[in-house]
Amino acid sequence: MRTSSALRLALIASTAAITLPTAALAQAPADNAEGNIIVTGLKRQYFGDTPVKEIPQAVQFLEGTLLNDLNITRLDTALELASGVSKQNNFGGLWDSFAIRGFAGDENFPSGFLVNGFNGGRGYAGPRDASNVERIEVLKGPNSALFGRGEPGGTINIVSKKPTFKEGGSFTVAGGKWNTYRVEGDYNMPLGDSVAIRLTGAVEDAESFRDTVETRKYVLNPSILAKLSDKTIFTYELEYVNQEVPFDRGVVAIPTVTATGTTYNLGAIPQSRFLSNPNDGPIKITALGHQAQLQHDLSDDWVVMLGAGYKDTTFEGFSSDPELALSRQRIDNDGRTLSRQRRYRDYSTTHMVFRGEISGKLETGSIVHNIRVGGDWDKFEIELLQNRYRPTAADQSYSIDIFNPNYNIPVPTADKYSVIQNSTEVQKAWGIYAQDQIEITEQFKVRFGGRYDDFSQNIDNRLGTTNPASYTKFSPMAGLVFEPTKSLSFYASYGKGFRPNSGVDVNNNPFAPEVSTSYEVGAKFVTPDGRITSTLSLYKMKKSNVLTADLLTGLSVAVGEAKSQGVEFDINAKLPAGFELFATYAYTDAGWADDYASAGVLKNDPLLNIPKHQANALLFKNFSIGDHEAMLGAGVNHVGKRLGQTAADFYLPSYTIAKILGSVTINDQFKLSANVDNLFDKKYYASSYAALWVQPGVPRSFTIRGTFTF
């Protein structure tokens, strides 16, 4: 019997209340993002103080205030606002997966992103919660010359909330459709003139439009900032995540095999239909991470930053997945019987990283050098255990009728499982880098940089023998910026990069790393008062040793070379009469560079889940109702047609969905807000791994939030 909604909400509220001292309820609010920098003395970590218009690449910032206004609580939802970022297979809703400018990385692991300049996306920590996000920085193009291993399409850096020397915070209670309840807390307190602490957290309990699917999540992020001297600042923050959610492969597109090929019927069953086994229970995810950083000002122009991070993650539970090999699948015979496998996964990761950097300005005559030199070392260990029950083609005892599902089918006994994964993978890497942005004149700047990486991979595959592998790579970059006026700048850039591929092929050999090359040109516009900012960029990229899914074996296969080219446009404008506009557009042409018969891929076939056209627009109106500040807004999101399965003629249809939102400030401390997503209840499909693993989009939903600021 499920706990009643009222009781569940009470439990959530009481849990969150533990994280917030009640004595603080009458204090002043915390500072904003700019105030944090001023109050604490912290500099932008590992990015420097170069103005955005002088950076030779496209950059987008998604501020935490915008995410709050839109009631965005997860990273993957926030990234829908960024141009050129598209959703990928999210492993049953259990991790973040996205592509930037058409390139998505390894489908078997979460997408990489940074947290305060550290690689925070590695491991099984579940979808990233937004409760501790100050802002999200989307840095387009290859950044290997600075950060090393990563996708050529771009880098996502999450800047977390930092302590300030002003006491205050906020407490938010939200409720929405499908018995969704969420509580967030944020409390900041100085301990004298040199030490401050901050505690953020969130508790969420939610059902879903998906039958039998329920999520429980606990997130806690305490942090401390200490001014050791006028020139030295130390910060430490902890990340704790505990999440439980069933493994959900989504809905199916019913295949029909004919002499002329295969057709797919997408939409034959309700979006809500759950095709796994509720008796599997939830997948349990835990994460415990630490970050410590030391900033020391050597002078007014030079600063040293040292950092260390450590993170453990675990991923454990059962899933019942549709069989992807048509030779074992029966739904193509009768259009209703879905053959399934059952899997048990026990995954864990440990990640340790150390980083150091010195940066500053150096003048040689009239020329100014903005120099950045650093190095890092990291060790990433992955433990993988997977058992699978895979019935023969003749055994349909674990199949499910997609039109009349029976959720009481007995689960297979322990003796019917076989071990298909049992390995330990250890990745070790170190790298050194240098970058110089040279101000030749006030209008003309050039940037040169490079990074040397040494990477080793050792896979202990207990089901076979695997040879260790090691690589060295040099990743150069160059860029230039021309500013004919204070408001307008033109830029061009070139870069190379690489990203190691985890795991082994069907012969137990490690995959070679992906290697990429990228070119980009663009223009940036910023009005003198900063009320309008805009970027137009054109790019062309290619990368080799790309992995894709082999549906026959269920493993990955190295296919070869992929390419991507496109155009992106972003604008953020504060308009007259209290209006604000946020709009993006991306054209992405991403596909395979050649024929790869072994994977069924042909030259110019599109890459999985990459729309050619993608756009987003938000319009806000700020106004007053008497003494109360208010806001009304509306938005629209368009995602074009996308390939839904590699080496198949299966596409997800395009969709356009709308939202409305609003808020009103009741008094100086209380704000009430609400939003409706998918306003017109559009039926759509968000992403796909294969025709039998399709993630449906969320129907019309609403959320109401009350925020108390103190």
Side-chain angles (χ1 to χ4, degrees):
M1 182 69 69
R2 286 180 53 85
T3 308
S4 70
S5 298
L7 179 58
R8 287 162 50 213
L9 180 59
L11 291 171
I12 293 173
S14 63
T15 303
I18 296 173
T19 68
L20 292 173
T22 57
L25 294 179
Q27 305 301 319
D31 285 343
N32 58 26
E34 295 181 351
N36 289 346
I37 296 173
I38 295 171
V39 172
T40 66
L42 285 175
K43 295 180 172 59
R44 293 181 65 213
Q45 297 155 320
Y46 306 108
F47 288 97
D49 299 322
T50 304
V52 171
K53 67 185 181 71
E54 297 180 8
I55 298 175
Q57 64 185 120
V59 180
Q60 274 185 277
F61 296 107
L62 304 175
E63 299 293 341
T65 52
L66 176 64
L67 305 186
N68 285 334
D69 287 340
L70 297 175
N71 190 37
I72 290 174
T73 61
R74 292 180 20 161
L75 173 64
D76 59 350
T77 308
L79 293 179
E80 294 178 2
L81 302 173
S83 61
V85 180
S86 51
K87 287 186 175 181
Q88 298 294 293
N89 166 50
N90 61 6
F91 205 60
L94 293 164
W95 64 41
D96 292 306
S97 185
F98 49 85
I100 305 176
R101 292 180 169 178
F103 290 155
D106 191 343
E107 293 179 334
N108 297 313
F109 286 89
S111 294
F113 57 85
L114 307 177
V115 180
N116 302 316
F118 290 90
N119 197 321
R122 308 185 80 182
Y124 303 102
R128 179 80 186 190
D129 195 86
S131 58
N132 192 41
V133 173
E134 186 69 51
R135 70 179 178 274
I136 299 171
E137 301 173 335
V138 184
L139 303 134
K140 306 293 184 62
N143 294 283
S144 292
L146 187 61
F147 296 108
R149 304 156 297 280
E151 276 297 315
T155 301
I156 306 296
N157 183 53
I158 299 171
V159 180
S160 62
K161 296 177 179 178
K162 303 295 191 298
T164 71
F165 289 94
K166 193 171 186 179
E167 187 172 6
S170 63
F171 184 83
T172 299
V173 177
K177 197 172 181 180
W178 304 297
N179 290 323
T180 298
Y181 302 101
R182 179 179 170 91
V183 173
E184 294 181 16
D186 182 359
Y187 176 63
N188 187 90
M189 182 174 69
L191 303 176
D193 296 331
S194 59
V195 178
I197 60 174
R198 190 167 188 169
L199 185 62
T200 67
V203 182
E204 186 174 306
D205 189 337
E207 296 178 16
S208 167
F209 75 98
R210 302 281 295 148
D211 297 336
T212 78
V213 174
E214 181 178 350
T215 300
R216 289 188 175 91
K217 177 168 63 176
Y218 303 87
V219 180
L220 190 63
N221 297 99
S223 58
I224 183 171
L225 182 146
K227 286 190 171 183
L228 305 182
S229 71
D230 291 340
K231 296 183 177 182
T232 308
I233 299 174
F234 172 80
T235 61
Y236 164 80
E237 53 190 274
L238 180 145
E239 174 193 2
Y240 171 76
V241 178
N242 186 307
Q243 180 172 312
E244 295 184 3
V245 59
F247 203 116
D248 182 9
R249 289 295 195 184
V251 297
V252 301
I254 303 173
T256 301
V257 181
T258 67
T260 58
T262 304
T263 60
Y264 301 90
N265 182 8
L266 183 61
I269 60 175
Q271 302 282 80
S272 61
R273 184 66 43 81
F274 186 66
L275 299 176
S276 297
N277 190 342
N279 298 314
D280 289 338
I283 297 291
K284 298 178 180 180
I285 294 171
T286 63
L288 183 64
H290 312 265
Q291 281 190 11
Q293 300 193 72
L294 183 72
Q295 173 187 303
H296 178 68
D297 295 334
L298 299 173
S299 66
D300 291 341
D301 294 327
W302 288 87
V303 62
V304 169
M305 290 187 177
L306 304 174
Y310 182 88
K311 190 173 184 178
D312 288 319
T313 72
T314 64
F315 179 109
E316 188 267 336
F318 287 91
S319 71
S320 296
D321 310 323
E323 173 66 63
L324 295 183
L326 286 183
S327 60
R328 292 173 173 262
Q329 182 56 252
R330 286 293 168 264
I331 196 170
D332 58 311
N333 290 351
D334 63 6
R336 64 185 307 143
T337 303
L338 183 68
S339 306
R340 300 185 302 181
Q341 310 173 15
R342 193 169 191 252
R343 302 174 190 246
Y344 171 77
R345 297 175 180 85
D346 187 358
Y347 297 167
S348 64
T349 68
T350 301
H351 190 202
M352 182 184 301
V353 60
F354 297 94
R355 185 175 180 125
E357 180 182 280
I358 182 171
S359 61
K361 291 185 178 182
L362 180 67
E363 295 184 8
T364 55
S366 61
I367 297 176
V368 179
H369 298 264
N370 297 275
I371 298 172
R372 187 168 306 278
V373 179
D376 53 44
W377 176 92
D378 73 66
K379 177 182 178 183
F380 185 58
E381 184 171 336
I382 315 166
E383 293 275 357
L384 299 176
L385 174 64
Q386 184 177 170
N387 299 333
R388 179 175 66 179
Y389 164 68
R390 192 182 194 186
T392 64
D395 181 6
Q396 296 299 310
S397 60
Y398 200 61
S399 299
I400 189 172
D401 186 338
I402 66 171
F403 295 106
N404 186 26
N406 177 10
Y407 292 138
N408 294 312
I409 297 173
V411 298
T413 56
D415 61 300
K416 294 185 177 181
Y417 292 83
S418 59
V419 180
I420 62 171
Q421 269 185 315
N422 189 1
S423 65
T424 299
E425 179 175 349
V426 179
Q427 301 176 2
K428 294 181 181 179
W430 62 268
I432 54 175
Y433 61 91
Q435 178 182 283
D436 186 7
Q437 177 137 338
I438 308 169
E439 301 176 19
I440 299 176
T441 67
E442 189 173 343
Q443 289 79 32
F444 190 67
K445 289 96 172 171
V446 296
R447 173 183 286 189
F448 298 101
R451 177 183 172 105
Y452 175 84
D453 279 284
D454 186 290
F455 173 82
S456 65
Q457 180 184 40
N458 193 349
I459 304 175
D460 179 11
N461 186 358
R462 302 175 184 92
L463 305 180
T465 59
T466 304
N467 297 320
S470 60
Y471 313 94
T472 59
K473 293 293 181 181
F474 178 72
S475 304
M477 70 86 60
L480 58 90
V481 177
F482 175 63
E483 299 180 76
T485 70
K486 292 291 186 181
S487 297
L488 181 65
S489 64
F490 299 95
Y491 71 90
S493 65
Y494 159 84
K496 284 194 167 189
F498 89 105
R499 187 188 65 82
N501 284 314
S502 295
V504 296
D505 61 20
V506 69
N507 298 315
N508 292 319
N509 296 315
F511 295 110
E514 293 181 348
V515 180
S516 63
T517 304
S518 177
Y519 305 87
E520 181 176 348
V521 296
K524 300 178 183 181
F525 176 77
V526 182
T527 58
D529 58 4
R531 293 181 62 84
I532 300 176
T533 61
S534 181
T535 301
L536 174 66
S537 57
L538 296 86
Y539 65 88
K540 187 174 184 178
M541 304 183 297
K542 65 177 181 180
K543 67 176 182 176
S544 57
N545 299 325
V546 181
L547 302 187
T548 190
D550 185 343
L551 302 187
L552 185 61
T553 65
L555 301 174
S556 293
V557 59
V559 175
E561 188 173 278
K563 59 184 180 179
S564 178
Q565 58 188 4
V567 180
E568 295 171 350
F569 175 74
D570 312 318
I571 186 170
N572 194 351
K574 296 183 182 296
L575 305 174
F579 284 98
E580 294 186 33
L581 174 67
F582 181 95
T584 66
Y585 168 77
Y587 170 82
T588 309
D589 182 12
W592 298 105
D594 212 337
D595 296 339
Y596 306 104
S598 60
V601 171
L602 300 178
K603 183 179 180 179
N604 296 323
D605 277 356
L607 300 185
L608 191 67
N609 286 307
I610 306 300
K612 281 197 173 183
H613 301 278
Q614 195 170 356
N616 199 307
L618 294 166
L619 183 65
F620 305 88
K621 165 68 173 175
N622 298 291
F623 59 99
S624 297
I625 305 176
D627 296 331
H628 306 285
E629 296 180 356
M631 180 272 291
L632 285 176
V636 62
N637 182 33
H638 173 78
V639 177
K641 177 180 169 184
R642 298 136 289 149
L643 185 69
Q645 179 173 309
T646 300
D649 189 24
F650 170 61
Y651 287 84
L652 302 181
S654 64
Y655 65 87
T656 302
I657 55 176
K659 67 175 66 180
I660 56 173
L661 61 153
S663 65
V664 59
T665 301
I666 306 300
N667 53 41
D668 292 340
Q669 292 183 299
F670 186 70
K671 180 179 179 181
L672 188 65
S673 58
N675 62 278
V676 180
D677 294 315
N678 195 359
L679 178 64
F680 302 108
D681 204 21
K682 173 74 174 181
K683 185 176 182 180
Y684 70 100
Y685 301 91
S687 64
S688 176
Y689 181 77
L692 302 182
W693 293 0
V694 180
Q695 292 295 330
V698 181
R700 179 168 53 229
S701 61
F702 69 89
T703 304
I704 300 175
R705 294 163 53 97
T707 300
F708 182 77
T709 303
F710 48 89

